[in-house]
Amino acid sequence: MADIIQLLPDHVANQIAAGEVVQRPASVVKELLENAIDADATIIKLIIKDAGKTLVQVIDNGKGMSATDARLSFERHATSKIRSADDLFHLHTKGFRGEALASIAAIAHVELKTKQEHDDVGTVIIIEGSSIVSQEVVVTPKGTSLSVKNLFFNIPARRNFLKSNAVELRHVIDEFHRVALAHPSISFVLYNNGSEVFNLPISNYRQRIVNIFGTKTNEKLVPVEEETEVLKISGFVGKPEFAKKTRGEQYFFVNDRFIKSPYLNHAISSAFEGLLKNGNHPSYFLNLNVDPQTIDINIHPTKTEIKFDDEHTLYALLRSAVKHSLGQFNIAPVLDFERDASLDTPYNFNNKETNTPVIEVDRSFNPFKETYTSGKQTTAFKKQTVNNWDSLYVGLESKGTKTEHDFSEVHFESEETTLSVFSDDNAIEQVQTTYQLHNKYIVSTIKSGMLVIDQHRAHQRVLYEDFLKNLTIKAGVSQQLLFPLELHFSTQEIQIINQLKDDLEHTGFVFLNVTKETVEIVGVPVTVPDSEVSIILEQLISDVENEVPDSHFSTTDLLAKSMAKSLAIKRGQSLLKDEQEHLVNKLFACKEPNVSPTNRTTFVTMSVDELDKKFM
């Protein structure tokens, strides 16, 4: 039998590696930014076009490379970060596999310009699909500029898997945030389609968080500091009252490297136990410094998953540190048996000067005198004689000549009414036609048997069709707010609101002003209470970022779904009889009453025959 095992060509092996390393433009952004950081750059610029599909360019002022190193950097498993297998457990750099540039060059057009500080001229290399087109001398400033153009140009199937520009841009910005947050000592600038999105100067960690997520974030942060032999924790957690429905602002950094860890995330959630509303998630920006020998980074191509030597100890320390910070800054309730809360200075009187009360005594006062005179007022005390007791009953007999035991005007506060099991025909008309079961379901009778409706899904369907109709015909009814509503969002969230602004106005929202960090609203749809506006917009932004339900749905449909989900009555909410009947009638007036906007069943029926079988 002939031999069938053979070595893969380099360009095929590189494309297979690219499938692991490069899933989307954001993967390229991550690898290039980390290379710039490893080159000791202090200023890094990221330029993208069409969410990175057309261009991803990273410019830094780092060390640069020689002509030989520039050529070798695109070879598989060529790296300057490690020399032996033991170095994998002493890592202080970002990249070390030597796969990133080789994988990127296999699926894109790459142009590299680089120069070291002591060299007079630099090197430019152009690569297309792993093939080096040219290598020449070029005049370029110190550092490296690497451009990745036309991603997946030679793998159309992979390009078809990419999402819309809005979604891919969100992933790029997420990666930019992760790298920028981990390195506040480096200046970062992001340009998208020629416009500046972020300009982050060198700063401390708190200021870097504020520069990314907006000035309003500053008042939400609670510092966390803890240092032990095993672990050093530093960073911030968000106050419980600012928790969101989404998990957007959750960042773990281990030795300045962003990681994802559901186990450690659970430690944070347990520290916030009892402080958050159901369904809300805390925000946190935590740096964990551990001995590199106690972690293994080399378990995933993207290096976002880390294996810890002793996870249980880290869990306990992290939970304890966060809980301590929440208690120390009076965020969480604490038990202190030596402290009397009633002796605390009220907030309004804090740091105010104390005024000694003045006591005035009138020494001439005599309560047994009929009259006495003080400096400011005259008070008279008159003796009441016993002869006036009969005046208490004057006028009681002038209101009529009723008998002593006349109860003609006695009224009962309430009368308890019960229906007879065997009621007559007239009583049947007064029986309630709908019932609410466990504040979740509405039970109604039909000719063939019984109908059970999920109130949350049914209301979603009703609201969805109403919003969709208003968006389509652009006839949303708005109610004016007495005072403008000012909401604070991050730069990325403001961009999404600007994209949806026209559609939101068609549903009934009226925007007075939209700045880089704030949104001012003066009108909302009639069905929307002003207290729910921030929740609706947060949910809407989350849905757009994650492109729920999918990219082939229109923005109008997405907006209607998101608003219906936010405003629908929840399970557990009690409804009056009229509200139950109104919801049932509105549901069956819909075009598709059988399913919710997310294709979930809204009601089930049970016939009399099925009920009869239950009693057989």
Side-chain angles (χ1 to χ4, degrees):
M1 183 176 176
D3 298 333
I4 60 173
I5 296 178
Q6 59 182 357
L7 290 173
L8 287 173
D10 282 346
H11 70 278
V12 177
N14 284 339
Q15 287 193 7
I16 294 171
E20 295 180 347
V21 179
V22 184
Q23 286 90 25
R24 52 179 13 123
S27 307
V28 177
V29 169
K30 175 182 182 296
E31 298 294 345
L32 298 188
L33 288 178
E34 289 182 347
N35 283 343
I37 292 168
D38 287 340
D40 297 332
T42 57
I43 301 173
I44 299 176
K45 294 181 181 179
L46 171 61
I47 302 168
I48 59 174
K49 289 184 180 178
D50 297 331
K53 298 175 185 177
T54 303
L55 172 68
V56 174
Q57 183 178 9
V58 172
I59 305 170
D60 66 68
N61 63 343
K63 296 176 182 176
M65 290 181 284
S66 64
T68 306
D69 285 346
R71 181 75 173 254
L72 272 176
S73 65
F74 290 99
E75 297 295 327
R76 285 199 74 198
H77 307 305
T79 179
S80 62
K81 315 296 173 60
I82 60 174
R83 290 286 181 268
S84 65
D86 291 337
D87 292 341
L88 289 173
F89 300 96
H90 300 85
L91 287 171
H92 295 280
T93 57
K94 303 295 179 188
F96 53 87
R97 292 172 179 267
E99 291 179 332
L101 291 182
S103 300
I104 293 168
I107 54 171
H109 297 154
V110 178
E111 182 184 43
L112 171 68
K113 292 181 181 179
T114 184
K115 183 177 89 72
Q116 294 179 320
E117 188 172 7
H118 58 269
D119 292 339
D120 294 329
V121 291
T123 303
V124 57
I125 298 178
I126 298 175
I127 301 177
E128 294 181 1
S130 293
S131 301
I132 297 179
V133 177
S134 66
Q135 179 174 352
E136 299 175 355
V137 175
V138 69
V139 177
T140 184
K142 173 207 167 190
T144 303
S145 169
L146 202 149
S147 303
V148 178
K149 304 173 184 177
N150 305 321
L151 199 63
F152 301 126
F153 79 98
N154 53 353
I155 314 178
R158 287 290 301 278
R159 193 174 180 90
N160 291 336
F161 280 107
L162 295 179
K163 302 287 187 180
S164 65
N165 283 0
V167 174
E168 294 300 338
L169 178 61
R170 180 185 70 85
H171 286 288
V172 168
I173 292 177
D174 280 348
E175 290 295 347
F176 179 81
H177 285 173
R178 292 167 182 174
V179 176
L181 281 170
H183 300 88
S185 60
I186 301 175
S187 172
F188 289 89
V189 185
L190 169 60
Y191 296 94
N192 177 37
N193 293 335
S195 61
E196 184 180 277
V197 181
F198 288 99
N199 190 342
L200 309 175
I202 296 173
S203 60
N204 58 28
Y205 190 48
R206 187 181 195 121
Q207 191 60 45
R208 176 56 57 89
I209 295 171
V210 171
N211 287 339
I212 291 176
F213 296 101
T215 53
K216 197 71 176 176
T217 312
N218 192 31
E219 65 186 55
K220 304 177 184 178
L221 300 178
V222 178
V224 179
E225 295 286 340
E226 191 68 44
E227 187 169 359
T228 66
E229 295 178 357
V230 181
L231 171 70
K232 180 183 178 183
I233 305 172
S234 62
F236 302 90
V237 294
K239 294 180 181 178
E241 60 264 32
F242 297 107
K244 294 185 176 181
K245 296 276 187 187
T246 58
R247 297 178 181 269
E249 298 175 1
Q250 295 185 341
Y251 295 90
F252 273 125
F253 301 99
V254 175
N255 296 352
D256 295 335
R257 184 191 300 275
F258 173 81
I259 67 157
K260 296 176 181 177
S261 175
Y263 186 69
L264 296 182
N265 179 71
H266 188 271
I268 305 293
S269 300
S270 61
F272 276 86
E273 190 175 2
L275 300 175
L276 300 177
K277 295 179 182 177
N278 190 23
N280 284 8
H281 304 284
S283 57
Y284 53 81
F285 313 88
L286 294 174
N287 297 301
L288 313 179
N289 288 324
V290 299
D291 186 351
Q293 295 184 8
T294 63
I295 57 175
D296 185 3
I297 304 169
N298 191 30
I299 64 171
H300 196 275
T302 60
K303 301 181 284 293
T304 56
E305 297 178 13
I306 289 181
K307 190 177 289 184
F308 293 95
D309 187 22
D310 188 1
E311 279 190 329
H312 297 292
T313 302
L314 296 183
Y315 182 100
L317 289 172
L318 189 59
R319 181 178 180 275
S320 176
V322 173
K323 213 169 182 63
H324 175 70
S325 292
L326 293 174
Q328 185 180 8
F329 291 91
N330 293 327
I331 305 299
V334 293
L335 286 176
D336 187 354
F337 296 103
E338 297 180 358
R339 172 177 162 272
D340 187 358
S342 64
L343 299 177
D344 290 347
T345 305
Y347 179 77
N348 292 336
F349 293 93
N350 199 15
N351 299 327
K352 284 190 175 182
E353 294 183 3
T354 56
N355 296 323
T356 306
V358 179
I359 302 174
E360 295 182 359
V361 178
D362 186 2
R363 299 186 180 278
S364 63
F365 172 68
N366 187 348
F368 299 102
K369 290 183 178 180
E370 291 189 2
T371 60
Y372 80 97
T373 305
S374 65
K376 295 181 180 178
Q377 59 183 357
T378 302
T379 307
F381 291 87
K382 296 183 179 179
K383 295 180 181 179
Q384 294 183 353
T385 59
V386 185
N387 298 330
N388 293 334
W389 66 270
D390 53 345
S391 63
L392 295 173
Y393 301 97
V394 174
L396 288 180
E397 296 180 357
S398 63
K399 292 185 179 179
T401 58
K402 293 183 180 177
T403 60
E404 186 178 356
H405 302 290
D406 188 2
F407 296 103
S408 60
E409 293 187 3
V410 174
H411 297 281
F412 291 103
E413 290 186 2
S414 64
E415 293 184 6
E416 186 177 355
T417 59
T418 56
L419 292 173
S420 172
V421 177
F422 305 100
S423 54
D424 56 7
D425 294 339
N426 294 329
I428 291 175
E429 297 177 1
Q430 300 174 359
V431 177
Q432 190 169 337
T433 57
T434 58
Y435 300 90
Q436 195 174 19
L437 182 64
H438 295 301
N439 289 342
K440 290 182 181 179
Y441 305 104
I442 297 173
V443 182
S444 180
T445 57
I446 54 177
K447 185 178 288 187
S448 61
M450 183 174 67
L451 185 72
V452 182
I453 301 171
D454 186 313
Q455 65 184 36
H456 177 64
R457 293 179 184 175
H459 199 212
Q460 273 193 49
R461 165 53 63 180
V462 172
L463 291 176
Y464 168 70
E465 293 202 2
D466 284 345
F467 284 130
L468 200 60
K469 176 180 152 187
N470 291 337
L471 282 165
T472 305
I473 63 175
K474 302 179 181 180
V477 181
S478 177
Q479 60 181 354
Q480 203 76 8
L481 295 176
L482 189 60
F483 300 103
L485 193 63
E486 188 175 293
L487 304 174
H488 295 265
F489 295 98
S490 65
T491 307
Q492 183 182 354
E493 291 170 339
I494 291 290
Q495 287 183 342
I496 294 172
I497 290 175
N498 278 325
Q499 293 173 12
L500 302 173
K501 187 178 174 184
D502 291 340
D503 289 326
L504 284 169
E505 287 175 343
H506 294 154
T507 62
F509 283 97
V510 180
F511 294 89
L512 180 64
N513 192 19
V514 179
T515 64
K516 287 186 177 180
E517 293 184 0
T518 60
V519 174
E520 208 168 352
I521 298 173
V522 292
V524 295
V526 175
T527 54
V528 178
D530 54 353
S531 59
E532 296 283 328
V533 172
S534 62
I535 299 173
I536 291 170
L537 292 181
E538 282 178 14
Q539 182 67 55
L540 179 61
I541 290 167
S542 173
D543 288 346
V544 172
E545 285 180 339
N546 296 300
E547 205 164 47
V548 178
D550 209 344
S551 58
H552 59 269
F553 281 81
S554 65
T555 308
T556 302
D557 185 81
L558 176 62
L559 182 59
K561 277 187 172 67
S562 183
M563 290 182 64
K565 182 167 61 175
S566 300
L567 290 171
I569 55 176
K570 304 296 185 285
R571 294 182 179 91
Q573 184 173 338
S574 178
L575 299 177
L576 299 175
K577 176 186 174 183
D578 294 341
E579 292 173 333
Q580 296 169 26
E581 292 179 351
H582 179 71
L583 180 57
V584 173
N585 294 334
K586 290 285 286 183
L587 174 65
F588 289 102
C590 292
K591 293 179 179 178
E592 295 184 28
N594 298 325
V595 292
S596 70
T598 53
N599 290 324
R600 302 286 186 87
T601 304
T602 55
F603 66 87
V604 293
T605 57
M606 186 174 286
S607 66
V608 176
D609 292 338
E610 290 174 321
L611 286 172
D612 290 341
K613 290 177 183 177
K614 301 286 184 184
F615 293 96
M616 289 179 68

